[in-house]
């Protein structure tokens, strides 16, 4: 088959990650990048990419088969709508938008035009998460009762030299926890309510550095999630999953899902259960490790995108699903600010 012609809008860190994969894989052809920043011109020249100063010029002249939208969150709505108007499928990097109203506008437009629009929650393409999802869905844990998630890490001091990272919206809830909330939704199910608290005591910035949430799931399970970017800890996805290029790997876990028949620790995929069907606390537990092969989820995501463009597969995570993850994450912020229990369904009503 001829290579899939992909354009990338936004040549920042995540845009360049996609571009590096696209450039080196003969299954793809980079038709161009759109980015008005001064840094984009030398980058495009060095890599032989056609550079466009705006999105519409790229879409109209390059006419890509698909687009990766990796520009600032505030521009996601207008960029996604421009793609939809031209019937061009896209991956919208997380979060889908910076507000739920913008995210829902993208969802409505995509559904009305019948244009595939995916959300760039790349962990959905990680074999570890897919194996955990399938194992739990198969009933091995029984009825799910309790769930725990952590993202406990320490960002270096110079990370905060960028002003917006010290301000509301630049904290670990929206930047980091959104990935973990999506993981919990993927393996456990829909989140119905959130009650949370947050603090910025470690650094004293206006933005939070730590937050804790209690989650209720539609299947009856109860969960807790805690996030902090100010602590020395191995209990985060980057350290435990072998996915990060900069965080050293540790043999630890950041998610635990517990049910009436057994429990699963993720990402090491350690399955604990009694040998006796009616086992209780006086009986020994057996630990088994589920088999899984490690693979970079980003190329897997792009190859899936190609199959979606060709009509061979439905999106693994579309913008509607990405919007529900955004709502559950924003609910942590809203609850922490108000002190109230937040229902996700109420947030998704317009």
């Amino acid at each position: 088959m001829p290579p899939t012609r992909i354009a990338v809008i936004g040549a920042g860190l995540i845009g360049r990650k996609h571009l590096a994969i696209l450039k080196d894989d003969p299954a793809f052809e980079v038709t161009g990048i759109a980015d008005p920043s001064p840094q984009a011109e030398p980058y495009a020249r060095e890599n032989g990419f056609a550079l466009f100063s705006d999105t519409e010029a790229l879409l109209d002249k390059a006419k890509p088969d698909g687009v990766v939208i990796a520009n600032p969150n505030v521009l996601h709505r207008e960029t996604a709508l421009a793609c939809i108007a031209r019937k061009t499928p896209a991956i919208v990097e997380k979060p889908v938008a910076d507000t739920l109203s913008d995210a829902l506008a993208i969802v409505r437009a995509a559904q009305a035009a019948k244009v595939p629009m995916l959300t760039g929650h790349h962990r959905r393409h990680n074999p570890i998460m897919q194996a955990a999802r399938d194992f739990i869905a198969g009933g091995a844990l029984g009825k799910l009762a309790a769930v725990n998630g952590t993202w406990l890490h320490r960002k270096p001091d110079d990370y905060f030299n960028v002003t917006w990272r010290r301000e509301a919206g630049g904290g670990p809830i929206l930047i980091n926890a959104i990935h973990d909330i999506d993981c919990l939704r993927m393996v456990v199910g829909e989140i119905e309510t959130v009650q949370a608290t947050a603090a910025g005591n470690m650094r004293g910035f206006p933005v939070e550095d730590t937050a804790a949430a209690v989650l209720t799931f539609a299947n009856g399970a109860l969960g807790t999630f805690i996030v902090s970017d100010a602590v020395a800890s191995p209990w985060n996805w980057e350290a435990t999953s072998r996915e990060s290029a900069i965080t050293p790997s540790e043999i630890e876990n950041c998610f635990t899902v517990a049910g009436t028949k057994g429990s699963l620790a993720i990402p090491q995929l350690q399955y604990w259960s009694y040998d006796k069907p009616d086992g209780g606390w006086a009986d020994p537990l057996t630990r088994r490790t589920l088999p899984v092969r490690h693979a970079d989820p980003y190329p897997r995501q792009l190859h899936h995108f190609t199959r979606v463009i060709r009509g061979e597969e439905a999106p693994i995570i579309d913008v509607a699903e990405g919007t529900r993850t955004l709502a559950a994450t924003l609910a942590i912020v809203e609850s922490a600010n108000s002190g109230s229990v937040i229902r996700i369904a109420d947030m998704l009503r317009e």
Side-chain angles (χ1 to χ4, degrees), residues 118 125 299-308 313-316:
L118 289 64
H125 301 269
R300 288 166 60 89
Q301 177 180 237
L302 288 165
H303 281 277
H304 166 68
F305 185 35
T306 286
R307 295 190 292 274
V308 171
E313 291 181 7
I316 285 177

Side-chain angles (χ1 to χ4, degrees), residues 217-267:
F217 292 83
N219 58 15
L222 301 180
T224 59
F225 180 75
I226 188 160
V227 57
S228 178
D229 65 7
V231 296
S233 158
W235 300 300
N236 55 79
W237 177 261
E238 287 78 4
T240 59
S241 68
R242 307 187 197 176
E243 194 178 286
S244 173
I246 63 171
T247 301
S249 294
E250 303 290 348
I251 309 301
E252 293 287 347
N253 293 287
C254 58
F255 303 118
T256 304
V257 183
T260 53
K261 294 181 180 179
S263 299
L264 184 67
I266 305 167

Side-chain angles (χ1 to χ4, degrees), residues 9-331:
I9 298 171
L13 287 176
I14 190 63
R16 294 187 186 195
K17 183 173 184 66
H18 286 292
L19 284 161
I21 296 166
L22 294 166
K23 181 182 179 182
D24 291 341
D25 191 328
F28 302 104
E29 176 188 338
V30 177
T31 62
I33 61 176
D35 191 318
S37 69
Q39 297 83 3
E41 195 279 328
Y43 171 76
R45 185 177 62 254
E46 290 166 11
N47 288 277
F49 299 142
L51 177 64
F52 298 84
S53 60
D54 66 82
T55 296
E56 298 205 352
L58 178 148
L59 294 173
D60 292 336
K61 294 179 181 178
K63 299 188 183 301
D65 300 322
V67 170
V68 175
I69 298 174
N71 54 1
N73 301 340
V74 69
L75 301 175
H76 283 188
R77 174 178 176 163
E78 66 179 78
T79 308
L81 294 182
C83 292
I84 292 168
R86 292 161 176 81
K87 304 288 186 182
T88 305
I91 298 174
V92 185
E93 266 302 333
K94 72 85 190 170
V96 175
D98 63 341
T99 67
L100 276 177
S101 60
D102 280 359
L104 289 168
I106 297 170
V107 172
R108 287 192 300 268
Q111 291 174 343
K114 295 183 171 56
V115 177
M117 299 294 286
L118 289 64
T119 304
H121 278 293
H122 65 279
R123 293 186 199 170
R124 296 265 183 148
H125 301 269
N126 191 305
I128 297 170
M129 292 304 304
Q130 292 175 341
R133 175 201 61 201
D134 294 345
F135 187 72
I136 293 170
L141 303 189
K143 184 173 176 59
L144 301 185
V147 181
N148 174 250
T150 60
W151 193 88
L152 299 174
H153 220 336
R154 188 180 189 280
K155 294 174 181 174
D157 293 342
D158 60 7
Y159 176 89
F160 298 95
N161 291 342
V162 180
T163 302
W164 66 265
R165 291 172 174 168
R166 304 192 299 267
E167 299 173 345
I173 296 176
L174 288 175
I175 291 176
N176 306 108
I178 189 168
H179 285 296
D180 299 278
I181 293 300
D182 193 66
C183 287
L184 292 177
R185 292 187 60 246
M186 177 183 179
V187 300
V188 180
E190 206 61 68
I191 297 170
E192 288 194 332
T193 68
V194 171
Q195 187 167 18
T197 187
N201 301 331
M202 298 301 102
R203 296 191 180 91
F205 295 150
V207 69
E208 85 283 346
D209 52 52
T210 306
V214 175
L215 316 171
T216 65
F217 292 83
N219 58 15
L222 301 180
T224 59
F225 180 75
I226 188 160
V227 57
S228 178
D229 65 7
V231 296
S233 158
W235 300 300
N236 55 79
W237 177 261
E238 287 78 4
T240 59
S241 68
R242 307 187 197 176
E243 194 178 286
S244 173
I246 63 171
T247 301
S249 294
E250 303 290 348
I251 309 301
E252 293 287 347
N253 293 287
C254 58
F255 303 118
T256 304
V257 183
T260 53
K261 294 181 180 179
S263 299
L264 184 67
I266 305 167
Q268 304 308 325
L269 297 183
Q270 297 158 337
Y271 167 49
W272 294 84
S273 65
Y274 293 114
D275 291 332
K276 295 169 56 176
D278 59 345
W281 60 23
D283 299 305
L285 285 159
T286 296
R287 183 180 70 178
R288 304 171 182 87
T289 301
L290 306 185
V292 69
R293 63 178 182 85
H294 291 271
D296 186 342
Y298 281 96
R300 288 166 60 89
Q301 177 180 237
L302 288 165
H303 281 277
H304 166 68
F305 185 35
T306 286
R307 295 190 292 274
V308 171
I309 291 170
R310 293 174 177 164
E312 298 168 358
E313 291 181 7
I316 285 177
I317 175 167
D318 62 10
V319 287
E321 183 74 357
T323 296
R324 287 188 284 273
T325 290
L326 175 62
T329 308
L330 289 173

